[in-house]
Amino acid sequence: MKRIISIALALCLVFTLAACGNNTQTNDDSNSPVETSTEPKTVALCESWDFESGFFTPLNPGNSAGGYGISYYLVNMYETLVNVENGKIVPSLAKSWEVSADGLTYTFHLQEGVKFSDGSDLTAEVVKLNFDAIPVVMGQYNGSYGITGTLIDKTEALDEHTFVLHLTRPYYGALNDIAYIAPMGIMGSAAYNEDMSLSDAVKTASFGTGPYMYAGDYDGKKYTFVRNPYYHGDVPDADSFTVSVITDGSAAELALRSGEIDMLWGSHIVSFDAMSEFGKEGNFEAKMDEYIESVQYLAFNTTAAPFDDAVVRNAVAMAIDKESLCETVYNGLVSPTNRILPTYYAYCDIDAEGKSYDLDEAKRLLEEAGYVDSDGDGVREKDGQPLSVALPYVADNASTDNAMLFIADQLKALGITVNVSGMDMMTWFTTLMQGDWGLSFYHTYSPSYDPYTFMANMDADMQADPCAWQVSLVLPDGNSIFKELGTSTDETRIQEIYTYVLSEIYEQSIMVPLYEKYPPAIYNTDQIASVDVNDSAYSVNVSRIKLK
């Protein structure tokens, strides 16, 4: 049970973390504090959690006590060596890098003159400390948020601004992993003890190179973050921002209307109903990211009847009217899709896609496979066994509850009884680990973790995602194909594996993609001029807010 709980917490955390986007322009005198405006500007935000665990980047369930909400705000305080922008690796704290021909050695050339918020210098030795500390701080969760943390052989600081990372084996997603702000965000040496464990200082302060720093003034209701006086990039519009702790979603919406806060940002806090309601009001703007946050999908327990049969899975895939689901349950704020990963993701632009809605064809498939309603009760049977299945899901909001009832009703028309059961994340994961399910509802991770970590977790040996790893259980070469993917440096072969895996997912309906979800935001236009929410899944980037 302890192992199940640990994996469940890690799985929950991996889907809340994201890589950051940073600016790399420097001031004329990067060693001097940046002067602030004589009339400070601030923006007020809120969350349903506090930041009691602290302000550090190598987050995991063991050191965060489940309080990993700070992950949404790390982008404001910390930076990584590289970033991912529109699917491409771009410079951040490293201005350039080289990768050896064998894929084992990464040499990073750091920006010069960069300081942490405590005034200490960014050096190769500090970067080395951060990478050396990853296995220590992450412990049993090392590799849960990108496998590169498990592949570190040794590190070197060749000189003050040259850091070298040696891997035990090549990995095609290493640079993408290094862009994950958790756990790869670079912290000042004050964040660590001599044994490379986290210091107590990170509980009340941040030690990053990003545009903001924690002011250390939590009063039980609100946190304040102020400008990092040593920030080396473009100065953000807001001099500071606050995060109030408001645990109830309805109370948060009231706080926005009353002017107590200026903005709600992210699907973790913005409901679909709120997007529709605030969008009709004159002094509020409701907008959504043009890039996909995640794809919501149905997963099957492929190890037990009836979903060990691809025919039944294909019939289910054809029986769900995705367009109707998106319109009736989500007010048209999500988009139906037949692809588990969007085509603009690396390696995912292939011709194949999942099944389209065709209830008549779905019924024909079940009839030919021997699933018939012999007693006229509306439920199909085969060999005396009725098609009745359990659908456990994470009950995170009312829209999800309604979506599951919608799917159950759609499958009832196909002749399948679906018993839906909403539960918390821990109970859901335990249920799936124990095999007490037929199908379930889950999602891909985010633009930062997809497709690399999502594909890696399709390997059942990873024991990280019981929905994703069904893929390796179905594929005849599932025990080897994902391990080959994790070690290959041949771009042609990597693409071949992606094409094969995704094509089989669609052909056999191992997963049924339902809709694409986009990060939303609602803000008060009396206070905020504009917000760039693009590419902001799982991060609240205050630098993208322009105030009036």
Side-chain angles (χ1 to χ4, degrees):
M1 178 60 73
K2 182 177 180 181
R3 172 61 175 165
I4 290 176
I5 291 173
S6 297
I7 295 174
L9 288 170
L11 179 65
C12 183
L13 177 55
V14 71
F15 305 141
T16 68
L17 305 181
C20 64
N22 306 300
N23 297 312
T24 58
Q25 298 181 10
T26 58
N27 299 321
D28 291 337
D29 183 3
S30 58
N31 289 318
S32 300
V34 177
E35 295 183 4
T36 58
S37 170
T38 56
E39 297 181 4
K41 295 180 179 181
T42 189
V43 61
L45 307 167
C46 79
E47 295 296 348
S48 60
W49 49 63
D50 60 36
F51 303 140
E52 182 180 359
S53 296
F55 305 86
F56 52 90
T57 59
L59 284 165
N60 65 68
N63 62 28
S64 65
Y68 41 76
I70 191 61
S71 63
Y72 290 91
Y73 291 87
L74 291 175
V75 65
N76 299 287
M77 296 169 280
Y78 295 100
E79 297 174 293
T80 46
L81 292 181
V82 297
N83 286 333
V84 178
E85 292 181 2
N86 299 321
K88 296 182 179 180
I89 306 296
V90 298
S92 183
L93 290 178
K95 60 185 179 182
S96 63
W97 58 90
E98 298 95 36
V99 183
S100 63
D102 60 6
L104 295 176
T105 303
Y106 290 71
T107 302
F108 296 93
H109 305 282
L110 306 180
Q111 292 193 54
E112 299 180 16
V114 176
K115 288 181 176 290
F116 293 95
S117 56
D118 63 355
S120 61
D121 294 324
L122 171 72
T123 65
E125 284 291 348
V126 178
V127 175
K128 172 180 167 58
L129 169 62
N130 277 262
F131 276 79
D132 289 345
I134 286 174
V136 176
V137 178
M138 297 300 290
Q140 64 178 308
Y141 304 102
N142 189 23
S144 297
Y145 319 112
I147 65 174
T148 300
T150 66
L151 304 179
I152 299 173
D153 181 21
K154 65 177 181 178
T155 62
E156 295 180 272
L158 291 188
D159 56 43
E160 187 175 5
H161 297 105
T162 307
F163 167 70
V164 182
L165 172 66
H166 299 273
L167 303 182
T168 57
R169 64 173 171 81
Y171 175 50
Y172 77 110
L175 284 173
N176 194 82
D177 284 4
I178 291 170
Y180 296 165
I181 201 163
M184 298 289 189
I186 304 301
M187 302 193 296
S189 58
Y192 297 100
N193 296 315
E194 288 187 6
D195 62 357
M196 291 187 290
S197 61
L198 292 174
S199 72
D200 288 340
V202 297
K203 294 181 179 179
T204 56
S206 60
F207 299 93
T209 59
Y212 293 97
M213 57 187 283
Y214 175 52
D217 67 342
Y218 181 56
D219 59 3
K221 296 181 180 179
K222 183 168 57 179
Y223 294 86
T224 300
F225 298 81
V226 299
R227 280 184 178 172
N228 171 4
Y230 299 99
Y231 182 50
H232 58 102
D234 290 338
V235 177
D237 198 30
D239 296 293
S240 64
F241 68 93
T242 61
V243 180
S244 296
V245 179
I246 304 177
T247 57
D248 179 73
S250 297
E253 293 173 15
L254 288 174
L256 180 59
R257 281 197 169 89
S258 70
E260 178 184 347
I261 61 174
D262 302 318
M263 183 177 179
L264 300 173
W265 190 339
S267 59
H268 61 288
I269 196 171
V270 178
S271 71
F272 293 100
D273 288 340
M275 285 291 291
S276 298
E277 293 170 6
F278 279 94
K280 299 174 183 176
E281 301 179 21
N283 62 324
F284 292 100
E285 178 78 17
K287 64 187 303 183
M288 303 187 81
D289 190 342
E290 64 187 56
Y291 297 102
I292 297 168
E293 173 183 315
S294 61
V295 172
Q296 315 296 117
Y297 66 90
L298 281 183
F300 300 99
N301 182 354
T302 63
T303 64
F307 298 123
D308 57 347
D309 186 346
V311 171
V312 182
R313 299 196 300 269
N314 285 334
V316 168
M318 294 180 184
I320 299 173
D321 186 347
K322 301 173 186 179
E323 290 189 5
S324 180
L325 169 66
C326 294
E327 289 296 328
T328 59
V329 176
Y330 296 107
N331 303 323
L333 296 174
V334 298
S335 300
T337 185
N338 289 329
R339 294 181 182 272
I340 197 68
L341 293 167
T343 56
Y344 62 81
Y345 281 6
Y347 311 107
C348 297
D349 187 8
I350 69 170
D351 293 333
E353 63 177 32
K355 308 293 189 294
S356 297
Y357 177 60
D358 189 339
L359 183 58
D360 290 337
E361 177 64 11
K363 291 179 178 179
R364 187 192 68 78
L365 286 176
L366 290 186
E367 291 282 350
E368 287 191 353
Y371 295 92
V372 297
D373 179 11
S374 59
D375 55 11
D377 65 351
V379 181
R380 296 177 183 272
E381 312 98 24
K382 183 176 182 180
D383 300 328
Q385 295 296 317
L387 270 178
S388 178
V389 298
L391 194 167
Y393 67 96
V394 179
D396 49 7
N397 58 61
S399 294
T400 303
D401 296 335
N402 293 335
M404 296 306 96
L405 293 175
F406 180 95
I407 289 171
D409 189 60
Q410 296 261 289
L411 297 186
K412 180 179 180 181
L414 182 60
I416 301 177
T417 298
V418 178
N419 301 306
V420 301
S421 180
M423 54 192 67
D424 61 68
M425 178 75 181
M426 181 67 67
T427 304
W428 172 84
F429 188 81
T430 301
T431 298
L432 267 62
M433 288 290 290
Q434 294 175 342
D436 298 331
W437 62 295
L439 68 164
S440 192
F441 176 73
Y442 211 56
H443 54 78
T444 58
Y445 302 162
S446 79
S448 52
Y449 289 91
D450 295 334
Y452 302 92
T453 302
F454 187 58
M455 286 288 287
N457 286 347
M458 290 182 190
D459 184 353
D461 290 343
M462 289 291 292
Q463 289 289 292
D465 184 343
C467 292
W469 78 47
Q470 300 300 318
V471 177
S472 66
L473 299 181
V474 172
L475 298 181
D477 50 358
N479 287 332
S480 60
I481 195 69
F482 292 105
K483 293 176 178 58
E484 180 185 354
L485 177 64
T487 58
S488 179
T489 58
D490 183 341
E491 286 291 313
T492 299
R493 180 55 180 157
I494 291 170
Q495 182 61 68
E496 288 175 350
I497 294 174
Y498 267 79
T499 300
Y500 164 65
V501 170
L502 293 176
S503 297
E504 288 300 307
I505 287 174
Y506 301 140
E507 178 66 24
Q508 302 191 54
S509 296
I510 307 173
M511 299 170 169
V512 178
L514 298 174
Y515 63 84
E516 298 166 344
K517 189 176 179 181
Y518 302 83
I522 305 171
Y523 60 89
N524 186 333
T525 55
D526 292 336
Q527 304 295 325
I528 296 176
S530 65
V531 180
D532 177 10
V533 299
N534 288 333
D535 196 27
S536 65
Y538 301 123
S539 65
V540 178
N541 192 336
V542 178
S543 292
R544 297 184 177 187
I545 299 175
K546 299 298 181 182
L547 300 178
K548 288 190 172 179

